[in-house]
Amino acid sequence: MPAHHKMVVPHAGGLLRNYVAGEFVGSERTFANVTPVDGSTINEVCEADSALVDRAVAAAREALHGPWGKMSLDERSALLHKVADGIEARFDEFVAAEMADTGKSLWQAQNIDIPRGAANFRAFADLAKSRAGECFQSTTPDGGQALNYSVHKPLGVVAVIAPWNLPLLLLTWKLGPAMAVGNTVIAKPSEDTPGTATLLAEVMHAAGVPAGVFNLVHGFGPNSAGEFLTTHRGIDAVTFTGESRTGAAIMRAAADNVKALSFELGGKNAALIFEDADFDAAVEGTAKSVFTNGGQVCLCTERVYVQRPIFERFVAAMKEKAEALRIDWPESPDTDMGPLISHEHQQKVLSYYQLAGEEGATFITGGGVPTFGDERDNGAFVEPTIITGLPESARCIKEEVFGPICHIAPFDTEEEAIALANDSEYGLAGTVWTTHLQRAHRVAQQIDAGIVWVNAWYLRDLRTPFGGVKLSGIGREGGVHSLNFYSEPTNICIKF
Ligand code: NAD
Ligand code: 6OD
């Protein structure tokens, strides 16, 4: 019997409910939560209607001034550590729910997604306590003195809208700081990944987070919970991670109420491999940056540029890496890649594979759908794919695919490599592989992106600024940047 049959998915066959004002709430309309592993339905999800979103907003508003608003920073921080404890206590359930919803590998769920879910609460609970305020002493016109100092107040009621690729990680990346500085929140996970958010609501409830502080509404974007939140007059801020196009729609929707906005959007990230790079490390790291989570990480590399003397060797080594990836049941400990998130996304990625052929690409490997001879043939799997030979103007070079595919092209000079990396409407991340110290600094600083890694990929320190330029987002999250977005400074000026 395949390992996956032994996995116990919380609420399998049951109902995932909303969580509003401290209570789990059903709804008239439900939708199916389908696993991309074999296309079967895991459970049904209660879709929040506009009346329920209204209730969530009212509860969140009331909670701002209730016990939550009166809690000291130390007490709030301790409560968020308790939430992290609760995630860790139910670790295997979170892992099972995340794998079932997304099809991501056991290794990734156990080592990245769920640990970060807990770490996001701990990190921001601690950071909020150590945030320094500003203080200036000045001379007044009459020769006296004035002391100016700032205090940080919460923004108010924050809508947290998250995508499906790293569901718990990205939801908690926003909830942690928003709650740490005293906001109340309404979380809306992606309709494709309602599982871990529902478990999180159970953890919040059990931890004793006061009613109305954390609310969860399930649903879709347009004409559903997403839009009800972004157009709601009672919401003070929207923090969103997802597609750039969705970000633009949210910006329009939020404009009437002039809400504060934080956007982490798409990417079309470049890796630059110089001939002086540690070759094996560059191949290993680049393959990881292309294929992790089936290429469904906003930071994944989709454009690889390699200095000409090592181009052919690099392409051959990447082909070997791609073909060695084990595509299997997510629950198998050796699995490198599971299915994509959904059949809809599978079709989108396959349409780019087809387009690449039409645009004249050479397929070094992949381009199709793997077959298994069992239920996985009903899943949303695609082959890891490497292409070469496209002109820089090709749509496959310009548009975000969000799948396990990269295009590899040669370059000659450092200047050319930088220009190629920057020739994109996006600007989220970049990667540079070189052993030349001056070049590392020189090139990294010229890449138009919010994050540049040198000889590494997706190394994270939660205190550092995270975000993108151009179509990749607005603002920065991480460390004090998150704390600042989720709070309003008030300057107090005391004359003495
Ligand atoms: P998406 O934009 O389709 O959906 C994200 C969330 O927005 C979902 O919860 C969805 O229901 C909601 N939504 C959709 N339309 C809405 C609307 N009109 N109003 C309000 N809410 C709406 O994104 P996705 O497909 O879930 O995620 C993949 C995308 O996210 C990729 O483009 C990827 O690059 C990007 N992403 C970026 C980052 C980052 O940090 N920059 C991180 C992860 C994913
Ligand atoms: O690791 C993080 O904090 C983060 N925000 C990752 C985003 C990944 C995008 O898919």
Side-chain angles (χ1 to χ4, degrees), residues 422-446:
N422 290 343
D423 184 15
S424 173
E425 288 186 291
Y426 293 99
L428 186 58
T431 315
V432 182
W433 295 89
T434 179
T435 52
H436 188 303
L437 181 64
Q438 284 93 337
R439 167 174 282 156
H441 288 287
R442 201 165 52 224
V443 174
Q445 292 188 20
Q446 289 182 75

Side-chain angles (χ1 to χ4, degrees), residues 116 120 165-166 169-170 173 241 264 296-299 402 428 458 460 462 466 477:
R116 266 294 299 281
N120 285 335
N165 61 327
L166 305 171
L169 187 160
L170 288 173
W173 172 239
T241 297
E264 301 289 357
Q296 303 166 116
V297 179
C298 57
L299 307 160
F402 219 56
L428 186 58
Y458 201 18
R460 295 285 290 116
L462 305 191
F466 184 100
E477 298 189 293

Side-chain angles (χ1 to χ4, degrees), residues 453-482:
W453 280 286
V454 177
N455 299 330
W457 177 74
Y458 201 18
L459 276 188
R460 295 285 290 116
D461 179 326
L462 305 191
R463 296 167 299 183
T464 59
F466 184 100
V469 301
K470 302 193 259 183
L471 277 187
S472 293
I474 296 180
R476 291 291 178 276
E477 298 189 293
V480 73
H481 304 276
S482 292

Side-chain angles (χ1 to χ4, degrees), residues 2 27 46 100 102 122 202 213-214 216 287 309 312 348 361-362 412 453 481:
S27 65
C46 297
T102 61
R122 295 201 193 285
E202 293 170 9
V213 172
F214 170 87
L216 169 70
E312 298 294 342
K348 178 185 161 189
T362 301
D412 292 301
W453 280 286
H481 304 276

Side-chain angles (χ1 to χ4, degrees), residues 1-8 37-38 329-331 375:
M1 181 186 283
H4 79 290
H5 288 300
K6 296 183 199 139
M7 193 177 75
V8 181
V37 180
D38 60 10
W329 296 104
E331 300 80 0
E375 308 100 288

Side-chain angles (χ1 to χ4, degrees), residues 162-164 188 191 221 226 240-243 246 264-266 298 400 402:
W164 46 255
K188 197 206 84 63
E191 54 275 27
F240 167 74
T241 297
E243 275 194 40
T246 313
E264 301 289 357
L265 308 176
C298 57
E400 181 187 50
F402 219 56

